[in-house]
Amino acid sequence: MAIFARFAYASGANVTGILSARFAIAGALLTAIMVLTGRRWPRGRPLLVAIGMGAIGYVGQAASFFAALNHASAGLVALLLYAYPTLVVLLSAAVLHERLTAAKLALLALSFAGLALTLGGGQGTATGIALGLAAAAFYSVYIVIGARELGHVDALASTTVVCLSAAATLALSALFMEPRFPGASWGWAAIAAIAVVSTVVAILAFFAGLKRVGPAVASVVSTLEPVVTVALAWLVLGESLTALQLAGGAVVLACAALLARGKNRG
C-alpha cells in the first residue's frame, strides 16, 4: 500500500483524495460481497461501534499513515506501524485487564529498544516519525475496541461497515479539506490497487488464511508486511534504510510475532 501511495502522490493526489477514493471503492466492493453472500449486517450497539471505529479509528490510522509517507520513507513508516502489537499489549492490560507476565514485559522492553534503533538512523523527519507512531496508536485503540465490542460479530460485516463509515467521514471532510485526485490514469490505477489489492483482497485473504492456519500463525505471518514493503521500496522507489534501522526493525518484528503468538495462546 505504501508503494502504491507514492505513485498516487506523484500523480498529483493528496491524502484526502487518496483516502476518499480508497474507502469509497473498497466500501462498494465489500457491500457487493455482503449482498451476494447473504451475510447479516451488524445491528444495535455493534453497528454503532463499527461506525465509530470507521469514522474515527480507521480514518485516523489511515490519514496518519498516508501523511507520514510525505515525511519519511515507505520502509520506515511500515516499520513504525508495527509498534502496534506492543501498544495493544499495554492497552489490553489497562482496558481489558489482561495479565502482564514477566515474558511479556521482557518482550515489551526489547520491542521499545528495537524501536529506538529504528528511529535512530535519521531516514525520516520528526513529523514523519510522529505520524507513523500515531498510525500505530490509532490502530492499537482500533484493535482493542474491536476485540472488546465486536468479538462475536461477523468480521467481514463489521469491516464493511467500518469502510463505509470511513468513506462517509471523508466525504464530509471534503467540505473543509479539498481532495486532490490523480491527474493521470496511472495515478488512478495506483488508487484502485490500494482499494482492491491492499484493502478488499487483503481483508478477504487474511480471513481465508485465518480459517486455515489459525490466529497465531496468521498473526506471525502478517509481520512479513513491513519486510515486503521495505524490499519493494528498495526495488521500486530506490529507498533504503540504514543497517541500524534494519536491525531495530527486525527486533520490533520479532517481538511483534512473539507477542501475537502469546496473545493468541492466552
Side-chain angles (χ1 to χ4, degrees):
M1 185 165 62
I3 309 302
F4 293 138
R6 288 288 194 192
F7 285 102
Y9 282 137
S11 69
N14 64 1
V15 174
T16 306
I18 293 174
L19 293 183
S20 297
R22 173 200 180 185
F23 286 117
I25 296 170
L29 290 174
L30 288 170
T31 299
I33 294 171
M34 286 285 295
V35 173
L36 291 173
T37 56
R39 291 175 183 263
R40 296 182 60 184
W41 293 86
R43 297 181 180 180
R45 181 182 175 88
L47 175 60
L48 295 176
V49 170
I51 291 173
M53 287 172 63
I56 300 172
Y58 213 170
V59 169
Q61 187 271 337
S64 298
F65 180 86
F66 280 88
L69 292 171
N70 286 319
H71 303 279
S73 69
L76 178 58
V77 174
L79 291 174
L80 289 175
L81 180 62
Y82 266 75
Y84 83 83
T86 298
L87 298 178
V88 167
V89 170
L90 292 174
L91 283 172
S92 295
V95 177
L96 304 180
H97 307 295
E98 292 188 2
R99 189 167 62 92
L100 281 177
T101 63
K104 282 185 179 180
L105 289 172
L107 286 172
L108 289 174
L110 189 58
S111 180
F112 279 116
L115 188 59
L117 290 176
T118 304
L119 299 179
Q123 294 295 314
T125 67
T127 300
I129 290 171
L131 287 168
L133 291 175
F138 270 112
Y139 197 32
S140 302
V141 174
Y142 177 92
I143 289 172
V144 171
I145 292 177
R148 181 175 180 175
E149 301 289 342
L150 302 178
H152 302 292
V153 179
D154 179 74
L156 181 58
S158 59
T159 300
T160 303
V161 173
V162 164
C163 282
L164 290 174
S165 61
T169 298
L170 288 161
L172 290 174
S173 73
L175 298 174
F176 309 97
M177 297 178 291
E178 182 180 358
R180 292 199 312 271
F181 297 104
S185 59
W186 51 268
W188 277 107
I191 289 181
I194 291 173
V196 177
V197 178
S198 303
T199 306
V200 176
V201 173
I203 289 169
L204 296 177
F206 186 79
F207 289 159
L210 196 63
K211 292 180 180 179
R212 288 164 174 77
V213 301
V217 175
S219 297
V220 173
V221 171
S222 72
T223 58
L224 286 174
E225 176 188 339
V227 177
V228 173
T229 301
V230 169
L232 286 175
W234 174 66
L235 287 170
V236 179
L237 303 176
E239 294 181 356
S240 63
L241 296 172
T242 66
L244 196 64
Q245 286 182 304
L246 290 173
V251 171
V252 171
L253 294 180
C255 291
L258 292 170
L259 287 168
R261 287 184 66 88
K263 186 172 178 61
N264 281 292
R265 286 175 178 174

